[in-house]
Amino acid sequence: MDSRNFFRRKGSASKIKIHLNRNKSDEIEPLSLSLKDNLNKLKTTFEHCEDLVYRKVSSKKSNVDFLLVYFGEMIEKNTLNNNILKYLIHDIDGFSKRKSYEYSKFIKASLPVSNIEEVTDYNSIIGPLLSGDIILFTEDCYCALIIPAKTSDERSIAPSATERTIRGPQDAFVENINKNIHLIRKRIQDPNLAVEFFTLGHSTNTNIALLYIKGIAKNDIINKIRLKISTIDSSSILASAQLEQLIESHKWSLFPQTLATDRPDKLSRSLLEGRAVIIVNGTPFALIAPVTFAMFFNSSDDYFERTIVTSTIRIVRYICFISSIFLPALYLAMTSYHPGMLPTPLALYITGARVGLPFPSLVELVFMQFTTEVLIEASVRLPKAIGQTVGIVGGLVIGQSVVQAGLVNPLIVIVVSLTALATFILPVYTFALSTRILRAIMIIAAATFGLYGIVIAGLFILIHMSSIESFGIRYLEDFSPYSLSKLKDTLIKAPHQYINRAPEYLNEKNNDEV
Amino acid sequence: MDNTSKLKSISMLSIVIHSMIGLRLLTLPRDLVSLAGNDAWISVLISGLVSLIIGYSYYWLGLKYRGLNLSQIAEAVFGKFIGKIILSIFVVYITLAIGLSIRAFSDSIQFFLLDTTPSFFIIISMIIACTYCLINGIKTISILMDILLPVILFSIILLVSFSTTNMDRANLLPVLHTGIMPVLGAYVESIHPFLGLGVMAYVMPHFSEFKDTKKWIFIGILIVTFIYIAIVMMCIMVFGSKETEHLIYPTIILSKSIQFEVQLFERAESFFISSWIPITFSTMLLFYYSSVLNLKALFNTNKHNFIVYLHIPVLLLIALYPKNIVNVYEYLKIPTYLAAGFSIISISMPVISILKSKKKKNNCI
Amino acid sequence: MKKQGFIKVLLFLTTPVFILILVTGCWDYVEIESRGYVLGIAIDKANPSPSKDEYLSKRDMDLMELMEGRQKYAYTIQIPIIPRGLIKPYGGATGGGEATQKRTWDLTVLGHSFFEANREFSTKLDYPPFYEHLKVIVISEEVAREGITESLDMMLRDHEVRRRTRLFVSPQSAKSVLEVVPNIDDYASLYLEKLPHNVHKTSRMSHITDLGQLSQNIHSQVDFGLPRIIATDTEIKSAGTAIFKEGKMVGWLGELDTYHGKWVRDGVEGGILLIESPFAKDELVCLQINTSKVNVRPDIKDDRITMNIKGKSTMTVVEVNNIMQDYAFDSESLDIFGQAAKKKLEDGIKETIKYVQENYGADVFHFNVAIQRYAPSTWDKIKDNWYEIFPTLSVDVNIDIKVLDTGLVK
């Protein structure tokens, strides 16, 4: 089945429904037989839309009048000229043989354009018109035709900028939802791959697609997601990030409960594991749900490299995650609370570095942490050319001169920069962001209670992580309850033949057996 | 909230282990060695075997009264009135045990980590952490236990294996020279941490396939027995029994006396001290949980959160009441005695239940 | 809705707590440089005999009459002097500062107990003494002879002091040992801490003895030995043993006696054995100890207790002082070396045991522990008059020595 077909039918249907809801008029408003009436009506509806084109043409051979209405920039000019106007004006013959109410059916059969729809209701033409279709009215006919002719002048498929791989496929999602679905369908040629469309946002009318594989994904989970999406009542959805916030259940949590990615291979893998993918028109980032904690440590490259290497890198990532949260706090606790826990030469060394510095370690640490945050933010936002300058300014000027000025202990510079590096090793940016906040919490805890504070704050975070769930799946499902099969693609990555099965907790079949 | 989430049978393993390894791990070697000398480890072995029986009796009760927890079973077995009395004994035992353990914990934290920090803050932070977890339900608790278990086991194994470098096996000699009586005397003391197993009887109704938990209960008890034996034996082998008697926290001192020539591992005890906070936390959490269920059954109420909050002032009061560390250990004897009652009651439950059902059968005939 | 209720309660509970913490918090926060790291402690008598005045002049020891009666001990703590800007990351001079600069501050205070002295240190130091990095305690002979437990009790009780702190006994003033500036290390304390690791090289050095072991020995009421330390201006030597009986020092064991004593205690971890060559006169052969295992078992026959010292050892010939000598490279001659070594060693051990039995009567060989373990019922009978029995014990030494190879040359 062609995805476009699928999309057209369902999409327009739901669109009309929502459109009707918005106008609060449930009754059907029939179209007028006269072109003039229809034209006037449209002109009142779209009063200030100067980009709306009303074009009157008439068939040369049969002398029938047509009215074409469309937004000029949104349609494909070729389709309009070659497939619609040419046929209407020159080629179609035989109107005289037919009754006027049969015209629209006749045109529908004659035009070389697919998926033409016939409507009689005035309200149902507004949605398609807005989304870039051409509406064709015919004199003396109570039916209007919706002719799909959306332009497709969008950027072409390019490699992912946020998640680069070395051996993986070099294509990434674009803004267009159809292209994105196409990228997935290319990979999973399975009739069980279900695509459900929704239209959300009163003003934006954003197309959203929910993808999952029937028979693999658990029905409960899909129902939960479907329910969440369909109950959204929001006026605008411009990007997947907004949808993410609308559908997740723990809004105040630091941990993301869906995973945004623009890599079709990653999305396909998630689909095959039994997860659902939500694609939002207008954003290259699709959402994976439900997610578990361990997924944020998987990079696409993991699946293209050798097992032992990958497993080692995975473990390095976990260590980095832990150290990016705990390292500055541990430094503070160890030096200011429990210097007895450091080996004697190290304790004396740090003391030597600290002697004569004016500020307490806490102030130094907070200052350096703040500086790093500023540098990171600056280098992310700035254009590439200036971004490098920021790195030099930050690394050399601040790092070096702050130490030389005798303001900050060089060890703090080491700790803070190591922490920042450890944060960058995490493959998912959203997740890396939350470690920054966690780190700040840890520093406060360490400053007040030392090692005890760190452990207690760590426990709080752990409790929080165990309590949150993503669409019925616990965040830490990968680690609890214990199961050896879960370890195959979490802490380590087993060779491919061992991990091609979907995880138990996501698998519909497994659930049935029990 | 609790009713919707079911646990897998393997989750029983971590709950069983956590319920039994707690604060007592720090002081148990001293208590046992002062009673039984070199042979303290034998009494731990006996306790382990006895707790297998206790574990089985809980399992049996759980099978018989599917969907009920221990406090509800107690009511079902003993009837409404006696059941309530027994429940109130449970309540007193468990709340006292939690409150005093928190106090003992905060004292030792003050001793080893934070000298001058008021114990109030240590106590309240622990209680709030427990409360936060309890509000989120049994599934959260179970996940937390599963995550903490490897950390705890790893640190204990590390401690034991590091200590082997300066142990002297001959310290265990002579075996049973003073006869079996001191060993049995120490057994009464050593069974106490094993009674934490009772928590298992409170989480029983949450398992989807309770039958399969039998294996995990037994494995859990065996692991705990092994850990306690290893720690007690290590203390004796490293310090000798005479020295162990003199140490207030033999297990911490054990970690402090680990010796390496490599500088990196010089301070192995810092790792152990910090890992022992979650050890205490997990046990306290599980006791807290069972205490909440007890009170719910006692007052016939379903207000989970209200009962949880009710505990905060009570526990604070109990924890802040003792004046000094000696006081704490004196008061801790009260729950020890109550624990004996608790264990007798819980072992007698299956017996009474069997007698009852037989009676019914006879009546039918 | 349950969640929201919880958040309310949580906020209600935690807000005051957090405010309190932030207003008054950080009770134990002390910057790393504002602690006085005590690396070593020396314990001397407060009023040294006139001959020792050179080590501890009146000037060194601030006489502060705090309690009635005479001050008992002079406690010296060693604190490292850490120069400002020890680490200059870019282009600054690193390394241990200037050679002439004084590296430690050895501060002496008088007192009855260490804790009293400890508080007294606070009057002279601008930051509190911090004992978690205490590496070594040196005790002078005079203090040791009066009893070691009294002066060390606080060290065992305090949680800051580690049980791995090394203990030494010095025939000189203990302070003079700490004051040595070793040529290859900055602090005498750290040097002293690492020195006992050489027990793998020589057995003339006593065991690695730390506070924990001392506490064990005192609590299980056995006699023990502590390593002897001797110092000159720039050098420190640790060899020989101070013998303690019931917590009081009774005398010294020389280096060879220490060596033999370690064989009995199964404490030999390395070292050498020097024998006369069985093949030629006036020729020495040096054997290196590879492995050794000694067991002490009581043998009780008709109320007569004999200590059976049985052992096994393997050795290597490492040096023969006549290079021209050509030995037969066969197992027989190796056996002959073994026999000679066995005789030498057994004689030495017997002699040492006899010496200790006669002169000190201190059971540093832990014969009582052996009897306690392997003949507990006999021990119950004799434990009350053990010190009468100990000097009369007969000893049977049997150490099997195998010489395995002769190095690279025949």
Side-chain angles (χ1 to χ4, degrees):
Chain A
M1 184 202 296
D2 183 51
S3 66
R4 282 182 93 93
N5 285 356
F6 200 101
F7 163 67
R8 269 304 319 162
R9 266 189 268 121
K10 280 214 84 156
S12 51
S14 58
K15 224 179 263 175
I16 289 158
K17 207 172 80 199
I18 290 187
H19 194 81
L20 283 175
N21 284 345
R22 201 187 74 176
N23 285 342
K24 290 181 187 102
S25 58
D26 287 345
E27 75 268 20
I28 288 167
E29 208 180 337
L31 292 166
S32 162
L33 282 174
S34 111
L35 280 183
K36 196 150 192 172
D37 286 353
N38 284 332
L39 180 68
N40 289 337
K41 206 165 183 181
L42 278 168
K43 276 192 169 158
T44 46
T45 312
F46 295 94
E47 205 181 340
H48 296 292
C49 297
E50 286 168 17
D51 52 346
L52 192 64
V53 180
Y54 307 95
R55 174 135 187 225
K56 267 188 181 166
V57 289
S58 45
S59 166
K60 282 231 167 109
K61 291 179 178 162
S62 315
N63 208 10
V64 181
D65 285 339
F66 304 105
L67 174 66
L68 289 159
V69 188
Y70 53 87
F71 281 96
E73 321 81 56
M74 289 174 78
I75 58 153
E76 184 74 52
K77 291 273 155 41
N78 270 337
T79 317
L80 179 65
N81 293 343
N82 296 338
N83 298 352
I84 300 173
L85 287 179
K86 184 163 165 261
Y87 280 83
L88 283 180
I89 298 172
H90 297 290
D91 293 357
I92 302 181
D93 194 8
F95 285 105
S96 48
K97 293 176 198 158
R98 284 173 174 77
K99 299 265 174 2
S100 63
Y101 58 83
E102 285 175 343
Y103 285 173
S104 62
K105 246 188 199 95
F106 175 59
I107 297 168
K108 190 180 166 189
S110 323
L111 283 182
V113 181
S114 60
N115 298 321
I116 299 177
E117 222 177 301
E118 214 177 344
V119 287
T120 53
D121 174 25
Y122 175 75
N123 286 323
S124 23
I125 64 168
I126 290 171
L129 184 57
L130 283 167
S131 68
D133 291 343
I134 300 171
I135 313 292
L136 174 70
F137 297 96
T138 317
E139 183 79 59
D140 291 337
C141 180
Y142 60 90
C143 282
L145 290 177
I146 302 172
I147 306 168
K150 284 196 191 87
T151 181
S152 58
D153 53 341
E154 276 149 340
R155 77 178 163 101
S156 55
I157 292 164
S160 169
T162 48
E163 284 178 75
R164 267 178 277 179
T165 67
I166 294 157
R167 269 187 73 181
Q170 304 289 337
D171 56 349
F173 269 20
V174 290
E175 281 77 4
N176 187 323
I177 188 169
N178 295 325
K179 251 185 195 169
N180 293 345
I181 294 174
H182 176 62
L183 282 174
I184 300 260
R185 279 234 185 253
K186 247 187 357 193
R187 283 181 168 79
I188 306 173
Q189 300 188 349
D190 182 346
N192 284 325
L193 173 62
V195 182
E196 290 179 20
F197 285 99
F198 301 86
T199 307
L200 290 180
H202 304 320
S203 353
T204 52
N205 270 355
T206 317
N207 279 321
I208 286 162
L210 171 66
L211 281 73
Y212 59 93
I213 299 183
K214 277 178 281 179
I216 298 183
K218 241 188 197 174
N219 279 334
D220 292 357
I221 297 171
I222 300 300
N223 286 340
K224 257 182 196 147
I225 298 174
R226 204 184 280 131
L227 188 75
K228 278 269 186 192
I229 295 178
S230 51
T231 51
I232 286 174
D233 183 39
S234 170
S235 69
S236 69
I237 289 175
L238 291 171
S240 58
Q242 290 167 340
L243 186 71
E244 180 185 348
Q245 288 169 19
L246 289 168
I247 60 173
E248 64 190 3
S249 40
H250 303 270
K251 293 182 175 41
W252 294 98
S253 174
L254 276 174
F255 296 95
Q257 290 137 49
T258 55
L259 198 154
T261 180
D262 61 349
R263 294 196 58 85
D265 55 321
K266 201 171 177 177
L267 292 164
S268 307
R269 196 176 313 110
S270 301
L271 282 172
L272 291 169
E273 280 174 1
R275 298 176 208 275
V277 164
I278 304 163
I279 306 176
V280 178
N281 197 14
T283 338
F285 289 93
L287 304 175
I288 301 173
V291 291
T292 50
F293 181 68
M295 282 177 74
F296 293 97
F297 294 89
N298 298 2
S299 130
S300 274
D301 253 342
D302 290 359
Y303 299 92
F304 309 123
E305 294 295 346
R306 304 198 52 76
T307 300
I308 293 176
V309 181
T310 311
S311 304
T312 319
I313 294 174
R314 284 258 173 100
I315 291 166
V316 168
R317 282 195 201 119
Y318 279 95
I319 294 170
C320 281
F321 171 68
I322 290 168
S323 60
S324 75
I325 294 177
F326 288 104
L327 197 63
L330 267 180
Y331 173 84
L332 196 64
M334 284 293 179
T335 57
S336 302
Y337 276 86
H338 321 288
M341 287 178 178
L342 300 168
T344 308
L346 182 61
L348 294 181
Y349 185 78
I350 297 175
T351 312
R354 283 273 317 150
V355 167
L357 293 186
F359 298 114
S361 297
L362 177 62
V363 175
E364 286 181 5
L365 194 60
V366 170
F367 171 70
M368 282 314 287
Q369 205 67 60
F370 178 74
T371 317
T372 344
E373 298 305 324
V374 171
L375 282 174
I376 293 170
E377 271 310 296
S379 52
V380 169
R381 306 282 162 250
L382 281 174
K384 261 183 197 158
I386 312 175
Q388 281 185 343
T389 327
V390 173
I392 295 165
V393 170
L396 285 175
V397 178
I398 297 186
Q400 183 172 347
S401 48
V402 139
V403 172
Q404 269 184 342
L407 291 177
V408 168
N409 169 2
L411 277 156
I412 294 237
V413 179
I414 295 171
V415 166
V416 168
S417 42
L418 202 64
T419 315
L421 277 181
T423 317
F424 295 139
I425 209 175
L426 299 177
V428 182
Y429 182 69
T430 324
F431 193 64
L433 281 179
S434 37
T435 61
R436 295 198 205 168
I437 310 292
L438 292 177
R439 195 185 309 148
I441 295 172
M442 283 299 165
I443 290 176
I444 294 170
T448 42
F449 288 119
L451 200 56
Y452 175 76
I454 293 178
V455 178
I456 283 289
L459 274 178
F460 265 103
I461 291 171
L462 206 57
I463 296 170
H464 174 67
M465 274 164 63
S466 348
S467 74
I468 57 180
E469 54 177 36
S470 163
F471 304 99
I473 298 297
R474 288 288 175 152
Y475 211 48
L476 295 174
E477 190 79 43
D478 293 315
F479 306 110
S480 161
Y482 299 137
S483 156
L484 266 184
S485 63
K486 284 180 189 167
L487 283 183
K488 282 179 196 163
D489 197 17
T490 50
L491 273 181
I492 57 161
K493 196 207 130 246
H496 190 68
Q497 61 261 43
Y498 299 113
I499 55 168
N500 47 13
R501 271 189 56 216
E504 230 174 280
Y505 54 88
L506 290 171
N507 204 327
E508 176 72 20
K509 278 169 205 158
N510 257 322
N511 203 39
D512 288 344
E513 279 166 21
V514 167
Chain B
M1 208 185 298
D2 295 22
N3 305 334
T4 50
S5 43
K6 286 280 178 198
L7 302 179
K8 281 256 160 59
S9 50
I10 196 169
S11 302
M12 191 54 119
L13 179 71
S14 56
I15 290 176
V16 164
I17 295 179
H18 278 291
S19 65
M20 291 193 276
I21 296 182
L23 194 69
R24 280 304 295 271
L25 188 67
L26 298 184
T27 51
L28 192 75
R30 172 179 51 112
D31 298 337
L32 295 187
V33 167
S34 59
L35 288 170
N38 288 343
D39 305 323
W41 60 275
I42 300 175
S43 40
V44 182
L45 190 65
I46 299 173
S47 305
L49 295 178
V50 170
S51 55
L52 280 179
I53 300 169
I54 300 178
Y56 186 77
S57 67
Y58 285 138
Y59 172 73
W60 189 87
L61 281 174
L63 274 187
K64 184 146 195 260
Y65 301 91
R66 229 24 225 110
L68 297 183
N69 59 44
L70 188 64
S71 41
Q72 290 157 339
I73 292 172
E75 276 190 272
V77 171
F78 292 106
K80 264 267 171 289
F81 183 69
I82 307 176
K84 292 271 185 220
I85 294 174
I86 285 171
L87 264 186
S88 38
I89 296 176
F90 284 8
V91 167
V92 172
Y93 157 54
I94 293 180
T95 38
L96 268 183
I98 308 168
L100 291 173
S101 308
I102 294 183
R103 174 57 187 268
F105 168 76
S106 84
D107 279 344
S108 40
I109 284 287
Q110 274 189 316
F111 194 66
F112 287 107
L113 291 176
L114 303 164
D115 281 333
T116 52
T117 305
S119 56
F120 173 78
F121 292 101
I122 297 168
I123 292 168
I124 192 86
S125 58
M126 207 67 177
I127 294 179
I128 288 179
C130 288
T131 313
Y132 179 34
C133 193
L134 278 181
I135 292 296
N136 283 306
I138 180 71
K139 182 86 182 167
T140 304
I141 297 176
S142 149
I143 292 175
L144 191 68
M145 295 295 133
D146 280 352
I147 302 284
L148 289 180
L149 185 65
V151 179
I152 288 171
L153 286 186
F154 180 67
S155 69
I156 291 176
I157 289 167
L158 216 62
L159 171 69
V160 170
S161 54
F162 278 1
S163 299
T164 50
T165 52
N166 49 357
M167 70 174 187
D168 179 9
R169 258 170 288 156
N171 274 343
L172 288 174
L173 294 170
V175 179
L176 286 178
H177 172 56
T178 46
I180 196 80
M181 281 325 283
V183 174
L184 289 181
Y187 152 75
V188 176
E189 188 78 18
S190 69
I191 191 79
H192 184 217
F194 285 93
L195 290 179
L197 190 60
V199 172
M200 173 204 127
Y202 288 92
V203 293
M204 285 187 310
H206 296 289
F207 286 89
S208 49
E209 307 120 40
F210 182 68
K211 263 207 160 106
D212 303 346
T213 59
K214 190 162 101 184
K215 183 170 84 182
W216 300 116
I217 295 170
F218 286 163
I219 291 177
I221 293 173
L222 288 179
I223 290 176
V224 172
T225 315
F226 174 75
I227 286 172
Y228 272 111
I229 290 179
I231 292 281
V232 171
M233 271 180 135
M234 268 303 153
C235 280
I236 297 171
M237 287 197 279
V238 172
F239 301 128
S241 54
K242 294 269 170 47
E243 174 75 353
T244 313
E245 275 177 51
H246 283 86
L247 302 171
I248 292 182
Y249 300 104
T251 312
I252 295 276
I253 304 288
L254 188 67
S255 66
K256 277 198 164 201
S257 48
I258 293 169
Q259 184 162 21
F260 285 101
E261 285 176 41
V262 186
Q263 286 280 338
L264 191 65
F265 288 113
E266 205 188 48
R267 315 282 161 167
E269 89 257 20
S270 53
F271 179 71
F272 186 71
I273 288 178
S274 46
S275 78
W276 139 72
I277 299 168
I279 291 181
T280 322
F281 169 77
S282 58
T283 319
M284 237 176 278
L285 178 65
L286 288 173
F287 270 68
Y288 199 161
Y289 180 73
S290 44
S291 174
V292 168
L293 289 185
N294 268 337
L295 278 181
K296 268 163 88 173
L298 188 64
F299 297 132
N300 288 333
T301 171
N302 238 341
K303 291 177 182 162
H304 180 79
N305 289 8
F306 173 72
I307 298 283
V308 172
Y309 297 134
L310 190 71
H311 270 82
I312 299 175
V314 176
L315 292 181
L316 258 182
L317 219 64
I318 298 173
L320 292 173
Y321 183 70
K323 286 181 190 65
N324 55 38
I325 187 166
V326 182
N327 252 338
V328 173
Y329 283 98
E330 266 170 24
Y331 291 139
L332 262 176
K333 289 208 175 101
I334 305 172
T336 314
Y337 295 136
L338 285 173
F342 178 77
S343 60
I344 292 166
I345 290 167
S346 44
I347 290 184
S348 67
M349 263 199 246
V351 180
I352 292 173
S353 159
I354 290 172
L355 289 178
K356 255 190 166 176
S357 53
K358 270 194 181 165
K359 219 178 178 183
K360 256 185 202 162
K361 255 184 207 164
N362 289 342
N363 286 350
C364 286
I365 295 163
Chain C
M1 97 228 140
K2 270 183 177 175
K3 273 258 140 69
Q4 275 184 343
F6 169 67
I7 287 168
K8 261 184 213 161
V9 175
L10 188 76
L11 282 178
F12 179 73
L13 277 172
T14 46
T15 316
V17 175
F18 272 114
I19 289 171
L20 264 174
I21 291 172
L22 291 176
V23 170
T24 62
C26 313
W27 295 269
D28 292 299
Y29 186 96
V30 179
E31 284 297 337
I32 190 165
E33 76 274 16
S34 10
R35 296 181 197 251
Y37 295 97
V38 178
L39 296 180
I41 295 177
I43 307 176
D44 287 294
K45 286 288 285 177
N47 290 323
S49 51
S51 64
K52 302 250 163 121
D53 252 350
E54 52 196 290
Y55 305 117
L56 290 170
S57 66
K58 283 246 156 61
R59 209 188 142 87
D60 281 338
M61 325 198 304
D62 290 86
L63 288 166
M64 270 184 280
E65 298 292 330
L66 287 167
M67 294 185 64
E68 284 177 34
R70 278 172 47 195
Q71 305 290 343
K72 275 191 95 171
Y73 300 113
Y75 293 98
T76 307
I77 56 173
Q78 180 167 56
I79 293 174
I81 299 170
I82 294 164
R84 195 170 265 253
L86 186 69
I87 310 164
K88 271 269 169 359
Y90 304 105
T94 53
E98 288 178 24
T100 50
Q101 204 182 334
K102 218 179 147 193
R103 301 309 316 275
T104 59
W105 182 16
D106 301 326
L107 188 64
T108 308
V109 157
L110 301 186
H112 278 85
S113 71
F114 187 77
F115 209 74
E116 185 195 337
N118 184 27
R119 294 301 171 224
E120 206 52 40
F121 284 127
S122 306
T123 62
K124 308 177 100 189
L125 278 169
D126 71 338
Y127 31 70
F130 180 69
Y131 293 97
E132 281 201 31
H133 286 288
L134 180 62
K135 292 289 173 196
V136 60
I137 299 174
V138 184
I139 303 161
S140 79
E141 185 184 341
E142 292 158 306
V143 175
R145 279 190 189 273
E146 283 195 357
I148 196 169
T149 45
E150 193 183 338
S151 51
L152 286 179
D153 183 65
M154 179 256 175
M155 314 282 178
L156 293 174
R157 219 168 270 281
D158 192 73
H159 68 97
E160 275 189 5
V161 178
R162 266 148 218 292
R163 289 170 69 86
R164 271 169 284 154
T165 308
R166 306 250 188 272
L167 280 172
F168 293 98
V169 179
S170 168
Q172 303 153 273
S173 104
K175 187 180 179 182
S176 68
V177 177
L178 278 194
E179 273 176 342
V180 171
V181 180
N183 286 327
I184 54 167
D185 206 333
D186 287 339
Y187 315 110
S189 308
L190 295 187
Y191 190 77
L192 275 175
E193 192 223 352
K194 281 174 253 170
L195 197 59
H197 286 305
N198 291 341
V199 285
H200 300 293
K201 299 278 169 217
T202 172
S203 288
R204 296 182 169 214
M205 195 181 265
S206 199
H207 290 51
I208 303 174
T209 314
D210 55 32
L211 264 181
Q213 276 158 313
L214 176 80
S215 149
Q216 254 163 270
N217 288 329
I218 291 173
H219 285 142
S220 36
Q221 290 160 341
V222 292
D223 300 332
F224 55 94
L226 289 180
R228 174 171 70 183
I229 192 99
I230 306 164
T232 64
D233 278 352
T234 54
E235 284 174 25
I236 296 175
K237 179 184 165 93
S238 166
T241 313
I243 292 187
F244 286 76
K245 184 183 177 186
E246 295 177 305
K248 281 182 183 163
M249 182 177 157
V250 289
W252 298 103
L253 272 191
E255 293 182 22
L256 267 178
D257 285 332
T258 304
Y259 173 74
H260 293 138
K262 284 186 81 169
W263 272 101
V264 181
R265 287 283 305 276
D266 192 23
V268 175
E269 290 185 36
I272 55 151
L273 178 64
L274 208 60
I275 57 168
E276 274 175 20
S277 169
F279 297 103
K281 275 194 173 172
D282 302 330
E283 206 184 281
L284 290 178
V285 175
C286 190
L287 300 171
Q288 184 187 316
I289 304 165
N290 293 339
T291 62
S292 71
K293 176 72 196 161
V294 179
N295 288 316
V296 181
R297 296 280 187 276
D299 186 16
I300 297 151
K301 270 180 197 151
D302 313 331
D303 289 347
R304 259 194 66 81
I305 305 170
T306 312
M307 300 309 293
N308 267 332
I309 300 168
K310 262 189 194 164
K312 265 186 202 164
S313 176
T314 59
M315 297 188 185
T316 316
V317 176
V318 287
E319 195 181 16
V320 176
N321 67 358
N322 183 1
I323 200 164
M324 300 307 288
Q325 182 72 40
D326 193 19
Y327 298 111
F329 190 65
D330 55 17
S331 56
E332 244 173 71
S333 50
L334 288 183
D335 280 348
I336 294 169
F337 275 130
Q339 289 302 322
K342 177 184 163 79
K343 191 171 181 310
K344 172 99 196 251
L345 188 61
E346 285 175 0
D347 288 349
I349 290 173
K350 275 180 199 159
E351 202 192 314
T352 300
I353 294 175
K354 205 173 174 201
Y355 175 73
V356 173
Q357 277 177 328
E358 283 171 4
N359 291 294
Y360 303 128
D363 185 9
V364 281
F365 308 112
H366 287 194
F367 287 157
N368 55 353
V369 177
I371 297 175
Q372 213 170 325
R373 279 176 190 165
Y374 299 104
S377 37
T378 315
W379 173 249
D380 287 341
K381 278 181 247 163
I382 60 167
K383 66 178 166 193
D384 293 328
N385 43 4
W386 170 245
Y387 283 113
E388 289 155 32
I389 293 170
F390 174 70
T392 64
L393 282 179
S394 52
V395 177
D396 188 17
V397 187
N398 187 3
I399 289 170
D400 212 16
I401 295 178
K402 282 203 173 70
V403 178
L404 292 181
D405 65 71
T406 60
L408 293 179
V409 289
K410 280 211 293 192

